[in-house]
Structures are given as C-alpha cells and as structure tokens.
Amino acid sequence: MSSTKRIFLSSPHMTGNEQDYIKEAFDLNWIAPLGNHVGAFEQELADYVGVDHAAAVSSGTAAIHLALRLLDVQQGDTLFCSSLTFVASANPILYEKAEPVLIDSEPDTWNMAPEALERALRDADKTGHLPKAVIVVNLYGQSAKMKELADLCETYDVPMIEDAAESLGSEYDGRKSGSFGTFGIFSFNGNKIITTSGGGMLTSNDEAMIQKARFLSTQARDPALHYQHSEVGFNYRMSNIVAGIGRAQLEAIDLRVQQRRNVFTRYQEALGEIDGIDFMPELPGTHSNRWLTALTVDPDKTGIDRTAIIQALAEDNIEARPVWKPLHRQPLFEEYRYYPFQEDDSVSDKLFEYGMCLPSGSNMEAEDQERVIQKMLAALKA
Ligand SMILES: *Cc1c(COP(=O)(O)O)cnc(C)c1O
C-alpha cells in the first residue's frame, strides 16, 4: 500500500455548527433520549422534504422496519423490493418472516423497472396474493420513475415505501425525493450525503402513523404511571445529541447536493468521452444529488474491466467500489422470486458486472479528485 493520503468513497463532512447544537443539549442536560433537538430535526426534515410528519429513529433500517410494522406485515406476506440496492432495504422483510419478491432495474434510472413491477403485480393479483407494500429505492441519489411506479401501486391499491436513504435532496418532477410513497425513509449513516454518525427518519403525511412509529420506537409503552405494555416495541428512537448533529447537517444539504454534483461533473468532463465509459444517467425531469458518481465500464471497448480498475485505484490508496450486488444474487435472497426487466434481460445483473462507484465526498479536495482522474486515465490507457 502506498503512503499517499487515502481517498474515501464518501466521508463525513461537518459544517462546524454541529458542536453548537451538541453544546446546547449539554447545557440543558438533554442528553438522554428525547429533547428539543429531536422534535426540531423532525420538523425541519419534514419541511425540507415537503411532507407533513417525520419520526427520528436510530437508523434507516429501523425506519424501514417500522414502516413494515405500521403496514401490519405478517409472516407469509410478500413485499416487493428493488433488487439493485443495499441489503438494508430488504432485511426488515426477513425480520418479519415475510417473503421478498425482487424487482429488476431499467436502464434510464438504474432503478425499479415499471415493466417488471407491472408483471409482478399482475401475477400476484391473479393468485390473490398482492404484496403488503412495494419498497422502491432511489439508487445513488437518482429518483426512480415515480409517476409510473406510483400509478401501478395505486392501480393495485398497494402502498409504496420510498427508500430515499441515498437520495436526500434529490428531486423528481420538482418534488423532493422521499415524498412520493405512503412512507419515505432516510438514513444519516456515516457515508450518506449528510450524517449524524448514525440515524434515520421515517416520513409520512399520515400523522397517526408517525405517532404510532414514535410509540413503537420507544418500547410501545402504554399511557400509565407504571410501565405497561400490550404490544411489542423497539428501542429505535434517535437521541437528542444525534438530532443536534442532524440539524446542523441539514442546514447544509443544498450546498452538499451542489458539491456532489460538481464532483460528478468533473469526472464526466474528464472521462465522459472515453469509448466504453458510460455515466449513470439522470432522467429528464429529475435532479439527482449524485450521492455517488457511478459509471459502467465495457471491457470490450476499454480493454480493462471494472474490477481491475478498482484494484488499480486501491493500489494508490483510493477507495472505489462495484455497484451494489443485486439482492437476487445474494446467498441470503437467492431462494426468492425475481422479476427481470424483460423475460430474458436482467438489467441489474449487467450493472453489477460493469458498474463501479468513484470517490464522491462533498469534502474531497480538487487535487484529490485529480489524482483519481489521473489513475483512471492511466488504467484505461486513455
Ligand atoms: C444506507 C441505506 C439504508 C440503511 O440505512 P442505515 O441508516 O445504514 O440503516 C437503506 N437503504 C439504502 C438504499 C441505503 O443506502
């Protein structure tokens, strides 16, 4: 390993104001779970996304799990979920012993293909076993085709959970990502566009549902002087300290989107003309936060495959990654049904074979990005 500075895929980017909010929490001794920052962060995030209500929780995964509980998912139910995503999108389905059905991507957004969703819904309807919900992921900040997907969900009267863990600040048709489903979920994990070190948010326009989420996330304690419980709860609530970090981070979201988009533009200008290199598209009418710059490498044209490029970057202490391995290819999910884009055409398999993500942090120095670009050009002999 070389002694050069490590360049991360995506590292935390503090504004400097986080410590003021934390200090306030300390000054008021609001360290233990709840306090003024939690409610304020919920309201500020809901306002930003353009939804009515939000519940701050300990992770994006917890937010998805709560959404499933709120929709009364039971053992044996099915849930449809994008296949090309991080495992956390679908793990809560397994927590509830329900059955995932995985849906392929389409080429325009790399996200859930309306064509495949339609086939899956039609089949499910025929057997009288429609899914409890469809979990739609907005990959690397790019919104899925929300209109087509939401129309299908509406036709079959199936709720949509919008996994916007990677797309805070992105837009579709002028509306913010995460505002399209019955529920939206967000993550503030360390590598996301804003971070609280770890945390998540569940959003909805349904006030009763969000109140219930708060109740479930604090051990489902009944209103009584003693500790009384009549249903299973979770310890999923966000702490006041973490929410303080989140408030400062959220203040910078629009700047972070611009910075990540600038990173993308510099990569595209430097590498976009190379035959065999294709950047992740941005569907007209959408605005991606470009959380990670993703591209595909066609080895027949470039003479090198994406794995060899990632290795060449690693030798120079640069962190790059393949795109998510589709869930239908994961040992954990292999046994479940999968609906490809077309009967004989799986888009996510190809994206996994050829796709990679480049370091994309909003705090990456211009000279660091130049180092990545030079390494890429050398690997591609361009
Ligand atoms: C990060 C992520 C999650 C999970 O969020 P955590 O806060 O890490 O639990 C869920 N879905 C997607 C698509 C993600 O990228």
Side-chain angles (χ1 to χ4, degrees):
M1 194 59 74
S2 72
S3 59
T4 45
K5 171 179 159 195
R6 180 145 179 85
I7 302 177
F8 292 99
L9 195 64
S10 177
S11 71
H13 189 178
M14 295 297 112
T15 64
N17 297 335
E18 288 81 4
Q19 291 182 18
D20 296 338
Y21 286 99
I22 294 176
K23 184 173 184 310
E24 191 186 320
F26 271 75
D27 290 347
L28 295 166
N29 203 30
W30 267 336
I31 312 299
L34 293 179
N36 59 334
H37 290 325
V38 174
F41 186 36
E42 289 175 341
Q43 191 58 53
E44 286 156 8
L45 186 117
D47 289 347
Y48 179 76
V49 172
V51 294
D52 293 338
H53 305 283
V57 293
S58 53
S59 71
T61 311
I64 298 171
H65 190 199
L66 289 170
L68 298 190
R69 296 292 290 214
L70 292 165
L71 292 170
D72 196 31
V73 168
Q74 306 277 335
Q75 179 164 3
D77 284 339
T78 55
L79 278 302
F80 290 2
C81 183
S82 305
S83 187
L84 188 62
T85 183
F86 181 48
V87 69
S89 302
N91 263 340
I93 303 171
L94 302 185
Y95 300 168
E96 293 301 327
K97 301 190 165 39
E99 189 184 317
V101 173
L102 303 163
I103 313 287
D104 196 11
S105 303
E106 46 80 26
D108 298 344
T109 64
W110 296 17
N111 286 308
M112 187 182 283
E115 299 85 344
L117 176 63
E118 185 165 19
R119 288 203 320 277
L121 283 169
R122 213 188 298 131
D123 287 354
D125 193 32
K126 264 187 250 162
T127 61
H129 200 65
L130 283 166
K132 270 283 169 74
V134 180
I135 303 171
V136 177
V137 177
N138 301 312
L139 206 64
Y140 304 130
Q142 170 60 51
S143 177
K145 289 182 170 169
M146 281 303 157
K147 180 171 184 337
E148 291 85 341
L149 297 171
D151 283 353
L152 283 165
C153 287
E154 203 175 315
T155 301
Y156 288 89
D157 199 21
V158 175
M160 184 204 288
I161 299 170
E162 193 183 358
D163 181 347
E166 299 177 4
S167 62
L168 177 64
S170 302
E171 291 176 11
Y172 175 94
D173 199 14
R175 261 171 69 190
K176 284 281 187 313
S177 199
S179 67
F180 291 87
T182 302
F183 294 105
I185 79 97
F186 296 90
S187 166
F188 313 114
N189 199 13
N191 56 359
K192 298 289 166 30
I193 191 163
I194 65 170
T195 181
T196 58
S197 73
M201 196 78 81
L202 178 71
T203 60
S204 178
N205 289 322
D206 187 329
E207 185 174 14
M209 286 286 197
I210 293 300
Q211 271 169 358
K212 182 90 194 272
R214 294 193 187 112
F215 167 78
L216 290 175
S217 68
T218 48
Q219 306 286 20
R221 190 181 161 197
D222 294 337
L225 185 58
H226 53 278
Y227 279 73
Q228 169 146 320
H229 305 273
S230 26
E231 63 181 299
V232 175
F234 303 90
N235 184 3
Y236 275 172
R237 200 76 166 116
M238 181 180 279
S239 90
N240 198 47
I241 300 291
V242 164
I245 302 172
R247 294 184 72 186
Q249 286 277 293
L250 188 60
E251 287 167 3
I253 182 64
D254 287 333
L255 179 61
R256 296 293 177 259
V257 171
Q258 195 50 55
Q259 288 165 325
R260 297 236 178 199
R261 287 181 65 85
N262 291 346
V263 166
F264 175 88
T265 302
R266 287 196 291 266
Y267 281 131
Q268 195 180 37
E269 281 169 4
L271 308 168
E273 298 295 303
I274 299 170
D275 195 30
I277 295 287
D278 289 293
F279 284 84
M280 183 178 188
E282 186 173 39
L283 184 74
T286 68
H287 191 80
S288 172
N289 69 15
R290 294 290 189 192
W291 171 54
L292 294 183
T293 291
L295 53 90
T296 55
V297 181
D298 179 349
D300 292 339
K301 292 183 177 155
T302 61
I304 182 169
D305 66 28
R306 69 108 159 89
T307 306
I309 296 177
I310 291 171
Q311 277 158 359
L313 293 172
E315 275 161 27
D316 195 33
N317 216 3
I318 296 167
E319 184 187 18
R321 298 265 171 187
V323 304
W324 299 124
K325 181 171 184 177
L327 297 183
H328 71 274
R329 298 269 300 275
Q330 298 282 359
L332 185 61
F333 293 97
E334 250 164 20
E335 68 189 271
Y336 298 108
R337 270 175 298 159
Y338 169 60
Y339 278 86
F341 176 55
Q342 274 151 19
E343 300 292 353
D344 55 354
D345 184 10
S346 173
V347 171
S348 60
D349 277 283
K350 272 183 275 178
L351 291 172
F352 176 59
E353 188 177 349
Y354 299 124
M356 62 181 285
C357 300
L358 290 172
S360 308
S362 50
N363 51 0
M364 189 168 50
E365 309 274 354
E367 65 191 47
D368 290 342
Q369 187 171 5
E370 192 51 35
R371 210 175 100 207
V372 181
I373 288 169
Q374 289 310 321
K375 257 277 142 115
M376 287 288 290
L377 290 171
L380 293 160
K381 298 194 173 57

